[in-house]
Amino acid sequence: MAAFTWRSVPHEGVDYSVFSLTEDAVAPLVCVLAEEATGEILARALADANIHLAMIGGTDWYRDLTPWPAPSPFAGEDGYPGGADAYLPRLTQGIVPAIEQALALTPAWRGLCGYSLAGLFALYAPYHTDSFLRIGSVSGSLWYDDFVEYMQREPLMALPVKAYFSLGEQEGAGRNPVISQVEARTQAAEQHLRHLGTQTLFELNPGNHFVDIVPRMEKALRWLVL
């Protein structure tokens, strides 16, 4: 027997997959900015977690998940348009309520977790919404122009109860002067939230940015929810 119940929730032309690891309607809802296939793997790995796991795909990665226009640190790549302020209300006022209504959920709390630019967006969200109280930034793109400075100078709308940060130990290697700062900037972000009162964890994993993406996500979710 499967350790979870899978349901698809349509909203504005996109089908969102929800993996319920419990029948409890008030169990936490954790939103992961990834596609359905990732969700099934995570649901099986987290079978002992009392949560509903919503996979939030269908995003324009470079537009929806970046907080403001910024140059790309990668040669030959277009800059980022910075559409997070437009996407975040779609998520919190449209997608999440549609999921909760369709499944008759009244979650005790909500979490938001993502990888790379999605990890950047997850940290940006609590500065503009009180919807998410547990945050996971896995290999988050915290090298993004002015982002850590933004965190340090702007007020949060809701202080996360828990915030998880991780990187691959080789992510800052190489000659790119922007990417080489990612570990120091991630640690600065983690320390800032910890200073404000959030329970935080920063972990280094073997490998670079593209290694063990789903297992790293599992580690983040397990710490956030158990």
Side-chain angles (χ1 to χ4, degrees):
M1 177 179 289
F4 58 83
T5 301
W6 171 85
R7 283 165 284 193
S8 180
V9 178
H11 179 71
E12 295 185 344
V14 179
D15 292 329
Y16 297 96
S17 292
V18 183
F19 299 87
S20 292
L21 312 185
T22 177
E23 299 287 333
D24 186 359
V26 301
L29 174 66
V30 181
C31 299
V32 180
L33 295 156
E35 302 296 334
E36 178 183 328
T38 298
E40 183 168 352
I41 299 170
L42 290 173
R44 294 190 186 281
L46 296 165
D48 53 339
N50 186 55
I51 60 171
H52 303 278
L53 192 61
M55 307 309 294
I56 310 298
T59 57
D60 182 318
W61 195 256
Y62 295 106
R63 182 192 66 204
D64 295 340
L65 303 182
T66 52
W68 46 76
S72 171
F74 305 108
E77 185 177 279
D78 293 338
Y80 305 115
D85 287 346
Y87 179 68
L88 190 56
R90 287 175 51 204
L91 176 63
T92 58
Q93 299 170 27
I95 298 167
V96 171
I99 289 170
E100 293 178 354
Q101 182 176 4
L103 277 59
L105 302 179
T106 54
W109 53 264
R110 302 183 195 91
L112 184 63
C113 187
Y115 198 95
S116 194
L117 285 175
L120 176 79
F121 178 87
L123 276 180
Y124 183 67
Y127 286 85
H128 296 272
T129 180
D130 59 3
S131 293
F132 306 107
L133 294 181
R134 303 195 187 198
I135 301 298
S137 180
V138 185
S139 287
S141 302
L142 303 191
W143 45 258
Y144 199 85
D145 188 41
D146 198 40
F147 186 76
V148 173
E149 292 79 4
Y150 177 89
M151 289 182 64
Q152 293 169 339
R153 69 174 180 261
E154 297 296 329
L156 286 148
M157 184 171 289
L159 179 67
V161 174
K162 298 181 79 172
Y164 177 92
F165 301 79
S166 72
L167 288 172
E169 61 189 5
Q170 297 176 24
E171 290 198 49
R175 299 180 180 179
N176 188 307
V178 176
I179 303 302
S180 65
Q181 301 176 50
V182 68
E183 184 174 337
R185 297 179 72 79
T186 300
Q187 290 180 319
E190 182 263 335
Q191 291 164 8
H192 176 68
L193 290 186
R194 175 157 39 91
H195 175 75
L196 294 178
T198 299
Q199 182 182 353
T200 65
L201 178 65
F202 171 73
E203 290 189 314
L204 279 176
N205 298 296
N208 61 27
H209 185 70
F210 302 101
V211 173
D212 294 333
I213 293 173
V214 178
R216 291 181 187 179
M217 294 287 287
E218 178 196 341
K219 287 177 66 176
L221 293 171
R222 185 167 293 280
W223 185 81
L224 288 171
V225 307
L226 296 177

